[in-house]
Amino acid sequence: MKLWIKLTGALLGIALVPTLVLAYLLSGAHAAELARAAREYRVAAAESAQQQVKSFFRDVSRELAEIGAIIADGSQSEAQRVAAVRRKLASASGLDAVQIFSPEGALVLGLSANKDGGAQPTSQPSLTVEQRRRSAAAPGTLQVVEHPSIADPHLKIHVAVPRSGGGGIYGHLRARVSLARLTAEIQDLAARRFGRGADNIFVVDQRKRLLIHRDPSRLGTVAHHGLLDKDDAGRFSRNVSYGADVGKGAQRRLAVVMPVPSVRWGIVVHQAYDRVYASVTATWHRAAITGGGIALLAVLVGLWLGRRMANPVSQLSLAAGRIAGGDLEARVEPKSRDEVGTLGRSFNAMAQSLVESRERLVAEARVRGDLSRYLAEPLVEAIIDDRDAIALGGRRAKVTVL
């Protein structure tokens, strides 16, 4: 592998690894913080919805208690009490109709609020023994006996009316309660918390039937939500909220259930997983873009630096190859004063030394060839090696060699 490729790879590693590690750490910390904040947000929304439900039933309970007090008031005639109940029913915020039963369960009077604000008689069957027993077991306490359906989006509530002086039951009330006000409040809460048109908050009874939902056509149907299966044994009987991550893929939800034990209802607040962790995804996207920019910069710097560092080494390698092939005139041109430049100058000195050695060997070979024809070999070697200084003495003479 070429040197510049190695350098580029090394720079990429140095640039990208810290970026990815930092993005991982930041996104992990951000995800944990988001999960905590989103959970608290859902719980807060569920608590707000729970308070709205409790406030709604307090108002209904108060209105029914006032109607019951009117009915049990022996100081007024029956006509006066009926007129007072009519006025109270006409001004009630949640009561659509009310039926008055004797302690034995026989229907005494039925009134319903019409659109003009008045009240009209209505007829309902008598109370069963079980209904009277449950109602009389806790006088003044609301008993939800029927829940909304698509055909009739109202609650049916029973309550026993105690005698004004205490000591027994004066009668029973069965009220038909509209959920329009509570539904509007829940939907307004969902819109304020999660945006217009959101169905992030809905209410179910203990049988998981939808009581309040943005889609009216689903009222009375069973809500298929995995989180609702976690409290089958005593569903919504304990004032303990619980949450979980349910669903898979595009249907993945982060949800919390807030019970309303007094009526055994459950308030479900859920959010799409992708929306909760959208900022984490954005963090990874930003990290990917940043990492891509850093990678491109690392490649460009690596190419420039790699070429700058690799070119002298490549020239040195080529020159060494030429010398190995016999071209002792090969040289490099050192342009830097760093280690690579020092290596190039040392290479040139070595090449020059090789040239000088070759020239010396050639000269020696030529001298040896010339002298060996006339002198003994040991003397020729001594002359070439200059092992002993040869001092010429005697006299000059011309010698003719035939």
Side-chain angles (χ1 to χ4, degrees):
M1 183 181 293
K2 295 184 178 295
L3 179 60
W4 67 270
I5 297 178
K6 294 181 180 179
L7 287 172
T8 303
L11 286 173
L12 277 174
I14 293 172
L16 289 182
V17 170
T19 302
L20 294 177
V21 170
L22 182 60
Y24 175 78
L25 294 176
L26 289 177
S27 61
H30 190 41
E33 179 63 22
L34 272 179
R36 183 191 63 79
R39 181 172 59 252
E40 292 178 354
Y41 191 79
R42 292 191 301 275
V43 170
E47 288 176 344
S48 297
Q50 184 190 55
Q51 292 303 315
Q52 290 177 337
V53 171
K54 290 181 178 179
S55 175
F56 173 79
F57 276 103
R58 279 196 300 269
D59 291 344
V60 171
S61 180
R62 175 179 51 78
E63 291 172 348
L64 287 177
E66 291 173 353
I67 292 176
I70 293 171
I71 295 172
D73 185 5
S75 63
Q76 300 186 56
S77 66
E78 181 177 345
Q80 290 175 324
R81 285 181 284 176
V82 169
V85 170
R86 286 180 183 273
R87 291 193 298 272
K88 188 64 184 175
L89 184 60
S91 63
S93 61
L95 301 180
D96 279 0
V98 63
Q99 295 83 43
I100 304 169
F101 298 86
S102 68
E104 294 75 24
L107 178 64
V108 176
L109 180 66
L111 300 171
S112 65
N114 61 19
K115 293 182 180 179
D116 312 3
Q120 301 297 328
T122 185
S123 175
Q124 291 289 341
S126 301
L127 295 179
T128 65
V129 175
E130 177 62 21
Q131 289 172 338
R132 296 199 310 271
R133 184 191 65 78
R134 293 181 58 188
S135 179
T141 302
L142 302 184
Q143 302 285 337
V144 180
V145 295
E146 290 184 31
H147 290 89
S149 64
I150 299 175
D152 186 16
H154 295 78
L155 290 176
K156 301 295 193 326
I157 295 178
H158 288 176
V159 61
V161 180
R163 293 185 181 278
S164 58
I169 300 298
Y170 182 85
H172 301 272
L173 291 178
R174 177 162 60 190
R176 186 172 182 266
V177 181
S178 171
L179 286 177
R181 172 192 136 193
L182 181 58
T183 299
E185 291 176 351
I186 296 294
Q187 290 180 353
D188 180 66
L189 175 64
R192 285 187 284 108
R193 293 279 185 169
F194 304 102
R196 287 291 173 187
D199 61 349
N200 298 74
I201 304 177
F202 59 88
V203 181
V204 297
D205 64 8
Q206 59 182 331
R207 293 169 61 185
K208 299 192 293 186
R209 294 175 301 182
L210 287 167
L211 306 177
I212 296 176
H213 194 275
R214 188 172 65 90
D215 184 2
S217 66
R218 296 187 60 185
L219 293 179
T221 63
V222 175
H224 298 288
H225 200 289
L227 190 58
L228 296 176
D229 297 331
K230 294 181 176 293
D231 191 28
D232 273 337
R235 183 173 288 123
F236 311 143
S237 62
R238 300 180 297 274
N239 192 23
V240 178
S241 63
Y242 53 94
D245 181 353
V246 296
K248 296 180 179 179
Q251 300 301 318
R252 191 175 181 184
R253 295 288 187 273
L254 299 174
V256 65
V257 174
M258 181 73 67
V260 186
S262 59
V263 289
R264 301 289 293 274
W265 286 8
I267 300 167
V268 181
V269 180
H270 64 99
Q271 294 173 277
Y273 182 90
D274 292 340
R275 294 197 63 180
V276 173
Y277 289 98
S279 59
V280 175
T281 304
T283 299
W284 275 110
H285 288 167
R286 287 193 293 270
I289 294 173
T290 303
I294 292 175
L296 179 60
L297 181 62
V299 169
L300 295 177
V301 173
L303 289 174
W304 175 78
L305 187 60
R307 294 287 187 181
R308 183 179 177 86
M309 296 181 63
N311 279 342
V313 178
S314 299
Q315 292 178 9
L316 191 61
S317 176
L318 291 175
R322 289 172 58 189
I323 287 177
D327 182 8
L328 299 183
E329 299 301 324
R331 298 290 187 273
V332 296
E333 297 180 4
K335 296 180 180 180
S336 63
R337 296 183 179 277
D338 55 10
E339 289 80 357
V340 177
T342 301
L343 179 61
R345 285 187 288 273
S346 298
F347 177 84
N348 289 340
M350 180 196 69
Q352 184 60 36
S353 177
L354 288 176
V355 170
E356 293 174 356
S357 296
R358 183 184 63 177
E359 291 175 350
R360 186 172 59 253
L361 290 175
V362 170
E364 290 177 356
R366 185 171 59 252
V367 170
R368 183 179 287 107
D370 291 341
L371 296 180
S372 60
R373 291 186 296 171
Y374 311 108
L375 302 175
E377 184 175 350
L379 181 58
V380 172
E381 292 301 327
I383 293 172
I384 292 175
D385 292 341
D386 196 23
R387 288 195 298 263
D388 299 307
I390 301 176
L392 298 177
R395 58 187 180 84
R396 290 174 177 259
K398 290 184 180 180
V399 177
T400 302
V401 179
L402 299 178

mmCIF file with all atom_site columns, all heavy atoms in Angstrom, residues 63 66 84-95 113 117-118:
data_model
loop_
_atom_site.group_PDB
_atom_site.id
_atom_site.type_symbol
_atom_site.label_atom_id
_atom_site.label_alt_id
_atom_site.label_comp_id
_atom_site.label_asym_id
_atom_site.label_entity_id
_atom_site.label_seq_id
_atom_site.pdbx_PDB_ins_code
_atom_site.Cartn_x
_atom_site.Cartn_y
_atom_site.Cartn_z
_atom_site.occupancy
_atom_site.B_iso_or_equiv
_atom_site.pdbx_formal_charge
_atom_site.auth_seq_id
_atom_site.auth_comp_id
_atom_site.auth_asym_id
_atom_site.auth_atom_id
_atom_site.pdbx_PDB_model_num
ATOM 1   N N   . GLU A 1 63  ? -73.911 18.635 41.928 1.00 0.00 ? 63  GLU A N   1
ATOM 2   C CA  . GLU A 1 63  ? -75.230 18.899 41.355 1.00 0.00 ? 63  GLU A CA  1
ATOM 3   C C   . GLU A 1 63  ? -76.241 17.828 41.767 1.00 0.00 ? 63  GLU A C   1
ATOM 4   O O   . GLU A 1 63  ? -77.398 18.149 42.099 1.00 0.00 ? 63  GLU A O   1
ATOM 5   C CB  . GLU A 1 63  ? -75.118 18.978 39.833 1.00 0.00 ? 63  GLU A CB  1
ATOM 6   C CG  . GLU A 1 63  ? -74.350 20.209 39.360 1.00 0.00 ? 63  GLU A CG  1
ATOM 7   C CD  . GLU A 1 63  ? -74.068 20.198 37.876 1.00 0.00 ? 63  GLU A CD  1
ATOM 8   O OE1 . GLU A 1 63  ? -74.277 19.120 37.255 1.00 0.00 ? 63  GLU A OE1 1
ATOM 9   O OE2 . GLU A 1 63  ? -73.646 21.229 37.330 1.00 0.00 ? 63  GLU A OE2 1
ATOM 10  N N   . GLU A 1 66  ? -77.190 18.363 45.374 1.00 0.00 ? 66  GLU A N   1
ATOM 11  C CA  . GLU A 1 66  ? -78.137 19.467 45.513 1.00 0.00 ? 66  GLU A CA  1
ATOM 12  C C   . GLU A 1 66  ? -79.538 19.027 45.113 1.00 0.00 ? 66  GLU A C   1
ATOM 13  O O   . GLU A 1 66  ? -80.524 19.372 45.775 1.00 0.00 ? 66  GLU A O   1
ATOM 14  C CB  . GLU A 1 66  ? -77.679 20.652 44.656 1.00 0.00 ? 66  GLU A CB  1
ATOM 15  C CG  . GLU A 1 66  ? -76.409 21.313 45.183 1.00 0.00 ? 66  GLU A CG  1
ATOM 16  C CD  . GLU A 1 66  ? -75.858 22.367 44.239 1.00 0.00 ? 66  GLU A CD  1
ATOM 17  O OE1 . GLU A 1 66  ? -76.403 22.483 43.108 1.00 0.00 ? 66  GLU A OE1 1
ATOM 18  O OE2 . GLU A 1 66  ? -74.898 23.061 44.609 1.00 0.00 ? 66  GLU A OE2 1
ATOM 19  N N   . ALA A 1 84  ? -88.142 23.021 41.725 1.00 0.00 ? 84  ALA A N   1
ATOM 20  C CA  . ALA A 1 84  ? -86.750 23.323 42.070 1.00 0.00 ? 84  ALA A CA  1
ATOM 21  C C   . ALA A 1 84  ? -85.794 22.391 41.333 1.00 0.00 ? 84  ALA A C   1
ATOM 22  O O   . ALA A 1 84  ? -84.724 22.812 40.868 1.00 0.00 ? 84  ALA A O   1
ATOM 23  C CB  . ALA A 1 84  ? -86.563 23.214 43.584 1.00 0.00 ? 84  ALA A CB  1
ATOM 24  N N   . VAL A 1 85  ? -86.175 21.119 41.219 1.00 0.00 ? 85  VAL A N   1
ATOM 25  C CA  . VAL A 1 85  ? -85.336 20.165 40.480 1.00 0.00 ? 85  VAL A CA  1
ATOM 26  C C   . VAL A 1 85  ? -85.272 20.554 39.016 1.00 0.00 ? 85  VAL A C   1
ATOM 27  O O   . VAL A 1 85  ? -84.213 20.472 38.377 1.00 0.00 ? 85  VAL A O   1
ATOM 28  C CB  . VAL A 1 85  ? -85.864 18.724 40.653 1.00 0.00 ? 85  VAL A CB  1
ATOM 29  C CG1 . VAL A 1 85  ? -85.148 17.768 39.700 1.00 0.00 ? 85  VAL A CG1 1
ATOM 30  C CG2 . VAL A 1 85  ? -85.677 18.253 42.082 1.00 0.00 ? 85  VAL A CG2 1
ATOM 31  N N   . ARG A 1 86  ? -86.409 20.985 38.447 1.00 0.00 ? 86  ARG A N   1
ATOM 32  C CA  . ARG A 1 86  ? -86.425 21.423 37.040 1.00 0.00 ? 86  ARG A CA  1
ATOM 33  C C   . ARG A 1 86  ? -85.431 22.581 36.833 1.00 0.00 ? 86  ARG A C   1
ATOM 34  O O   . ARG A 1 86  ? -84.663 22.582 35.861 1.00 0.00 ? 86  ARG A O   1
ATOM 35  C CB  . ARG A 1 86  ? -87.830 21.871 36.652 1.00 0.00 ? 86  ARG A CB  1
ATOM 36  C CG  . ARG A 1 86  ? -88.826 20.746 36.467 1.00 0.00 ? 86  ARG A CG  1
ATOM 37  C CD  . ARG A 1 86  ? -90.175 21.331 36.092 1.00 0.00 ? 86  ARG A CD  1
ATOM 38  N NE  . ARG A 1 86  ? -91.193 20.314 35.973 1.00 0.00 ? 86  ARG A NE  1
ATOM 39  C CZ  . ARG A 1 86  ? -91.449 19.622 34.854 1.00 0.00 ? 86  ARG A CZ  1
ATOM 40  N NH1 . ARG A 1 86  ? -90.719 19.845 33.785 1.00 0.00 ? 86  ARG A NH1 1
ATOM 41  N NH2 . ARG A 1 86  ? -92.406 18.723 34.828 1.00 0.00 ? 86  ARG A NH2 1
ATOM 42  N N   . ARG A 1 87  ? -85.479 23.574 37.723 1.00 0.00 ? 87  ARG A N   1
ATOM 43  C CA  . ARG A 1 87  ? -84.582 24.722 37.584 1.00 0.00 ? 87  ARG A CA  1
ATOM 44  C C   . ARG A 1 87  ? -83.112 24.290 37.721 1.00 0.00 ? 87  ARG A C   1
ATOM 45  O O   . ARG A 1 87  ? -82.240 24.749 36.978 1.00 0.00 ? 87  ARG A O   1
ATOM 46  C CB  . ARG A 1 87  ? -84.922 25.778 38.636 1.00 0.00 ? 87  ARG A CB  1
ATOM 47  C CG  . ARG A 1 87  ? -86.255 26.476 38.416 1.00 0.00 ? 87  ARG A CG  1
ATOM 48  C CD  . ARG A 1 87  ? -86.369 27.707 39.307 1.00 0.00 ? 87  ARG A CD  1
ATOM 49  N NE  . ARG A 1 87  ? -86.334 27.363 40.714 1.00 0.00 ? 87  ARG A NE  1
ATOM 50  C CZ  . ARG A 1 87  ? -87.406 27.034 41.440 1.00 0.00 ? 87  ARG A CZ  1
ATOM 51  N NH1 . ARG A 1 87  ? -88.622 27.011 40.879 1.00 0.00 ? 87  ARG A NH1 1
ATOM 52  N NH2 . ARG A 1 87  ? -87.282 26.770 42.724 1.00 0.00 ? 87  ARG A NH2 1
ATOM 53  N N   . LYS A 1 88  ? -82.867 23.413 38.693 1.00 0.00 ? 88  LYS A N   1
ATOM 54  C CA  . LYS A 1 88  ? -81.487 22.957 38.895 1.00 0.00 ? 88  LYS A CA  1
ATOM 55  C C   . LYS A 1 88  ? -80.987 22.162 37.700 1.00 0.00 ? 88  LYS A C   1
ATOM 56  O O   . LYS A 1 88  ? -79.838 22.332 37.250 1.00 0.00 ? 88  LYS A O   1
ATOM 57  C CB  . LYS A 1 88  ? -81.413 22.108 40.165 1.00 0.00 ? 88  LYS A CB  1
ATOM 58  C CG  . LYS A 1 88  ? -80.001 21.744 40.577 1.00 0.00 ? 88  LYS A CG  1
ATOM 59  C CD  . LYS A 1 88  ? -79.218 22.986 40.931 1.00 0.00 ? 88  LYS A CD  1
ATOM 60  C CE  . LYS A 1 88  ? -77.791 22.693 41.263 1.00 0.00 ? 88  LYS A CE  1
ATOM 61  N NZ  . LYS A 1 88  ? -76.999 23.919 41.493 1.00 0.00 ? 88  LYS A NZ  1
ATOM 62  N N   . LEU A 1 89  ? -81.855 21.319 37.167 1.00 0.00 ? 89  LEU A N   1
ATOM 63  C CA  . LEU A 1 89  ? -81.456 20.497 36.018 1.00 0.00 ? 89  LEU A CA  1
ATOM 64  C C   . LEU A 1 89  ? -81.207 21.361 34.793 1.00 0.00 ? 89  LEU A C   1
ATOM 65  O O   . LEU A 1 89  ? -80.279 21.113 34.014 1.00 0.00 ? 89  LEU A O   1
ATOM 66  C CB  . LEU A 1 89  ? -82.538 19.453 35.743 1.00 0.00 ? 89  LEU A CB  1
ATOM 67  C CG  . LEU A 1 89  ? -82.241 18.432 34.629 1.00 0.00 ? 89  LEU A CG  1
ATOM 68  C CD1 . LEU A 1 89  ? -81.001 17.627 34.949 1.00 0.00 ? 89  LEU A CD1 1
ATOM 69  C CD2 . LEU A 1 89  ? -83.437 17.508 34.425 1.00 0.00 ? 89  LEU A CD2 1
ATOM 70  N N   . ALA A 1 90  ? -82.008 22.393 34.639 1.00 0.00 ? 90  ALA A N   1
ATOM 71  C CA  . ALA A 1 90  ? -81.849 23.270 33.468 1.00 0.00 ? 90  ALA A CA  1
ATOM 72  C C   . ALA A 1 90  ? -80.538 24.030 33.515 1.00 0.00 ? 90  ALA A C   1
ATOM 73  O O   . ALA A 1 90  ? -79.964 24.359 32.467 1.00 0.00 ? 90  ALA A O   1
ATOM 74  C CB  . ALA A 1 90  ? -83.029 24.247 33.402 1.00 0.00 ? 90  ALA A CB  1
ATOM 75  N N   . SER A 1 91  ? -80.042 24.333 34.715 1.00 0.00 ? 91  SER A N   1
ATOM 76  C CA  . SER A 1 91  ? -78.799 25.091 34.833 1.00 0.00 ? 91  SER A CA  1
ATOM 77  C C   . SER A 1 91  ? -77.568 24.207 35.059 1.00 0.00 ? 91  SER A C   1
ATOM 78  O O   . SER A 1 91  ? -76.455 24.720 35.168 1.00 0.00 ? 91  SER A O   1
ATOM 79  C CB  . SER A 1 91  ? -78.917 26.095 35.997 1.00 0.00 ? 91  SER A CB  1
ATOM 80  O OG  . SER A 1 91  ? -79.100 25.396 37.233 1.00 0.00 ? 91  SER A OG  1
ATOM 81  N N   . ALA A 1 92  ? -77.779 22.899 35.149 1.00 0.00 ? 92  ALA A N   1
ATOM 82  C CA  . ALA A 1 92  ? -76.658 21.989 35.424 1.00 0.00 ? 92  ALA A CA  1
ATOM 83  C C   . ALA A 1 92  ? -75.714 21.949 34.220 1.00 0.00 ? 92  ALA A C   1
ATOM 84  O O   . ALA A 1 92  ? -76.139 22.044 33.066 1.00 0.00 ? 92  ALA A O   1
ATOM 85  C CB  . ALA A 1 92  ? -77.164 20.595 35.746 1.00 0.00 ? 92  ALA A CB  1
ATOM 86  N N   . SER A 1 93  ? -74.430 21.783 34.516 1.00 0.00 ? 93  SER A N   1
ATOM 87  C CA  . SER A 1 93  ? -73.418 21.795 33.450 1.00 0.00 ? 93  SER A CA  1
ATOM 88  C C   . SER A 1 93  ? -73.257 20.446 32.767 1.00 0.00 ? 93  SER A C   1
ATOM 89  O O   . SER A 1 93  ? -72.860 20.385 31.609 1.00 0.00 ? 93  SER A O   1
ATOM 90  C CB  . SER A 1 93  ? -72.068 22.228 34.031 1.00 0.00 ? 93  SER A CB  1
ATOM 91  O OG  . SER A 1 93  ? -71.638 21.322 35.040 1.00 0.00 ? 93  SER A OG  1
ATOM 92  N N   . GLY A 1 94  ? -73.540 19.349 33.487 1.00 0.00 ? 94  GLY A N   1
ATOM 93  C CA  . GLY A 1 94  ? -73.279 18.047 32.895 1.00 0.00 ? 94  GLY A CA  1
ATOM 94  C C   . GLY A 1 94  ? -74.460 17.105 32.884 1.00 0.00 ? 94  GLY A C   1
ATOM 95  O O   . GLY A 1 94  ? -74.419 16.070 32.240 1.00 0.00 ? 94  GLY A O   1
ATOM 96  N N   . LEU A 1 95  ? -75.544 17.443 33.581 1.00 0.00 ? 95  LEU A N   1
ATOM 97  C CA  . LEU A 1 95  ? -76.687 16.541 33.691 1.00 0.00 ? 95  LEU A CA  1
ATOM 98  C C   . LEU A 1 95  ? -77.644 16.761 32.533 1.00 0.00 ? 95  LEU A C   1
ATOM 99  O O   . LEU A 1 95  ? -78.129 17.881 32.318 1.00 0.00 ? 95  LEU A O   1
ATOM 100 C CB  . LEU A 1 95  ? -77.413 16.759 35.017 1.00 0.00 ? 95  LEU A CB  1
ATOM 101 C CG  . LEU A 1 95  ? -76.581 16.555 36.298 1.00 0.00 ? 95  LEU A CG  1
ATOM 102 C CD1 . LEU A 1 95  ? -77.430 16.814 37.520 1.00 0.00 ? 95  LEU A CD1 1
ATOM 103 C CD2 . LEU A 1 95  ? -75.980 15.159 36.336 1.00 0.00 ? 95  LEU A CD2 1
ATOM 104 N N   . ALA A 1 113 ? -83.284 17.646 30.529 1.00 0.00 ? 113 ALA A N   1
ATOM 105 C CA  . ALA A 1 113 ? -83.070 19.022 30.089 1.00 0.00 ? 113 ALA A CA  1
ATOM 106 C C   . ALA A 1 113 ? -83.189 19.073 28.582 1.00 0.00 ? 113 ALA A C   1
ATOM 107 O O   . ALA A 1 113 ? -82.573 18.286 27.872 1.00 0.00 ? 113 ALA A O   1
ATOM 108 C CB  . ALA A 1 113 ? -81.675 19.497 30.511 1.00 0.00 ? 113 ALA A CB  1
ATOM 109 N N   . GLY A 1 117 ? -83.205 24.826 27.654 1.00 0.00 ? 117 GLY A N   1
ATOM 110 C CA  . GLY A 1 117 ? -82.816 25.042 29.043 1.00 0.00 ? 117 GLY A CA  1
ATOM 111 C C   . GLY A 1 117 ? -83.904 24.609 30.008 1.00 0.00 ? 117 GLY A C   1
ATOM 112 O O   . GLY A 1 117 ? -83.726 24.647 31.220 1.00 0.00 ? 117 GLY A O   1
ATOM 113 N N   . GLY A 1 118 ? -85.093 24.157 29.502 1.00 0.00 ? 118 GLY A N   1
ATOM 114 C CA  . GLY A 1 118 ? -86.140 23.668 30.389 1.00 0.00 ? 118 GLY A CA  1
ATOM 115 C C   . GLY A 1 118 ? -85.939 22.216 30.705 1.00 0.00 ? 118 GLY A C   1
ATOM 116 O O   . GLY A 1 118 ? -84.907 21.638 30.400 1.00 0.00 ? 118 GLY A O   1
#
